[in-house]
Amino acid sequence: MKISIIKPGLLSTVQDMGRYRYLSQAVPVSGAMDELAHRIANKAVGNNDNDATIEFAYANASFKAETPILISYSGDGAFLVYDDELMPAEKPLFFAAGSVIRLINNPVGVHTYLAVAGGWDVPDVMESKSTYLTAGFGGFKGRKLQKADVLVSRTILNEVSDKILNQLIERSLTYPNWRISRECLLPEKRQKIRVVLANEICWFDATSILSFLTSNYIIDLRSNRMGYHLAGKPLVKKVKKELLSTAVTPGTIQVTGSGDLVMLMADCQTTGGYPRVAHVAAVDLPLCAQLKPGDMIQFSEISRDEAEELYLEREHDLSLITMAISLKYI
């Protein structure tokens, strides 16, 4: 299966679930900003969760099917449109060769993930297909997608993907009558971000801690795949300490020297010297990935045990989705 890029959009890269085994060598995790949407797009075409997808930031992009293709998409940044018809998300979509598919704006979020049956075929770099733009490696030639780029899928499909494709072709359907409901896996209040308080929270005075957990923060324009700057009331230290560079990871919330907050995201560095006041619960990182400049959020404290329980519950739900799709087509 093959597509050619007609219009690449603002920032489109190939991503998987990231590279985790090279943090000690200062190589960031990278990977999909919204891991949940990435995984659901893959599940909808019978792929493994870690198969490579295309991550589109916002919309205003388009591509052409150079061969018949089986794709799916998930995420809040864009809608797929074919022949002036809005295509449903989170389900397999079959298009004939020559079809032109556009991505139009979805005002809800930022990132949208395009999966193809078999996964996009790009080389592994350090055990991952994810693009790390700063160093120029991974993904498609280590860079964002450009006009006229041609991407292909792996040629061998697994049993589920093959049966989904054949059923749609036999029945002359663009898509089946089922879909995965990503909304059911997300909390109702998307502006409330659950966090676990971190090591250096005690460095700040009580008023600052209370403010951190009750005030509103605005996503600043200086936000990207490395981290989000948060505009709001600065935090004030009660101790005169400096932190030696220590481990950070996507979801870590740091406090800069001026008291401002930075929420680290997929391409963040592996160590940092700013105090860490909290860490975003893993289940809420997909919410953060869809935040855009001007969006307002508020933090809510939960315990480590609660964060772990929420994570395990979602993983259980995702495993049930995989099982349901497999049982339907095997």
Side-chain angles (χ1 to χ4, degrees):
M1 300 181 195
K2 181 190 298 185
I3 67 169
S4 59
I5 302 297
I6 298 172
K7 198 172 185 179
L10 181 64
L11 177 62
S12 304
T13 56
V14 175
Q15 302 291 345
D16 59 16
M17 291 173 66
R19 48 180 66 83
Y20 286 86
R21 291 166 56 87
Y22 298 89
L23 296 173
S24 63
Q25 299 174 45
V27 178
V29 174
S30 297
M33 287 278 281
D34 185 341
E35 189 178 285
L36 179 63
H38 161 88
R39 294 171 72 182
I40 288 178
N42 270 323
K43 289 179 187 297
V45 288
N47 287 349
N48 296 320
D49 285 4
N50 197 40
D51 284 335
T53 63
I54 299 175
E55 177 184 272
F56 292 94
Y58 299 101
N60 198 25
S62 59
F63 59 92
K64 179 182 178 181
E66 298 293 345
T67 65
I69 58 171
L70 178 66
I71 60 173
S72 62
Y73 78 101
S74 181
D76 292 329
F79 299 107
L80 259 62
V81 173
Y82 169 68
D83 199 21
D84 293 328
E85 181 183 348
L86 194 66
M87 294 291 104
E90 285 118 30
K91 63 167 58 187
L93 305 169
F94 175 74
F95 296 103
S99 301
V100 173
I101 297 97
R102 297 183 295 120
L103 283 81
I104 64 170
N105 184 54
N106 178 356
V108 173
V110 176
H111 295 104
T112 305
Y113 296 83
L114 183 73
V116 66
W120 298 109
D121 190 12
V122 297
D124 284 311
V125 178
M126 300 182 191
E127 303 175 57
S128 171
K129 298 182 186 298
S130 287
T131 310
Y132 180 41
L133 291 173
T134 303
F137 64 74
F140 187 86
K141 301 181 180 180
R143 59 169 172 78
K144 64 181 182 181
L145 299 182
Q146 300 173 1
K147 181 178 179 180
D149 282 344
V150 175
L151 290 92
V152 298
S153 69
R154 290 182 296 186
T155 55
I156 300 176
L157 303 185
N158 64 37
E159 187 176 0
V160 176
S161 298
D162 190 54
K163 288 192 175 182
I164 293 173
L165 175 62
N166 289 332
Q167 187 178 102
L168 291 176
I169 292 173
E170 289 170 5
R171 299 181 182 180
S172 300
L173 296 173
T174 301
Y175 48 81
N177 61 1
W178 59 267
R179 66 179 289 267
I180 302 169
S181 178
R182 184 170 58 98
E183 292 80 5
C184 291
L185 299 172
L186 293 170
E188 184 177 346
K189 295 180 179 179
R190 296 196 180 191
Q191 281 68 46
K192 182 78 74 171
I193 306 299
R194 291 167 290 192
V195 298
V196 176
L197 297 184
N199 299 46
E200 288 76 52
I201 187 69
C202 59
W203 288 20
F204 297 87
D205 62 33
T207 301
S208 291
I209 297 172
L210 181 63
S211 176
F212 172 70
L213 294 171
T214 57
S215 298
N216 295 324
Y217 290 91
I218 307 295
I219 308 301
D220 190 85
L221 285 170
R222 300 169 295 158
S223 299
N224 52 36
R225 280 183 52 91
M226 185 174 179
Y228 294 167
H229 289 261
L230 307 179
K233 188 175 180 180
L235 273 59
V236 178
K237 276 186 185 180
K238 68 177 182 180
V239 296
K240 293 183 179 180
K241 288 185 180 181
E242 296 297 332
L243 185 68
L244 292 176
S245 195
T246 192
V248 295
T249 190
T252 299
I253 301 174
Q254 297 179 299
V255 184
T256 68
S258 59
D260 295 326
L261 301 182
V262 178
M263 182 194 303
L264 301 183
M265 298 302 290
D267 282 349
C268 72
Q269 71 277 16
T270 59
T271 62
Y274 289 134
R276 302 157 298 179
V277 291
H279 194 92
V280 176
V283 294
D284 282 357
L285 269 175
L287 299 180
C288 299
Q290 298 296 347
L291 294 170
K292 55 191 181 299
D295 283 350
M296 183 174 66
I297 59 172
Q298 190 176 83
F299 296 111
S300 173
E301 181 191 1
I302 60 173
S303 69
R304 294 187 183 189
D305 287 343
E306 287 175 299
E308 183 176 357
E309 288 172 8
L310 289 168
Y311 173 79
L312 293 174
E313 285 174 10
R314 180 172 292 172
E315 289 302 305
H316 176 68
D317 291 341
L318 287 168
S319 68
L320 292 178
I321 290 170
T322 301
M323 185 184 301
I325 295 172
S326 297
L327 290 174
K328 183 175 179 64
Y329 288 99
I330 293 179

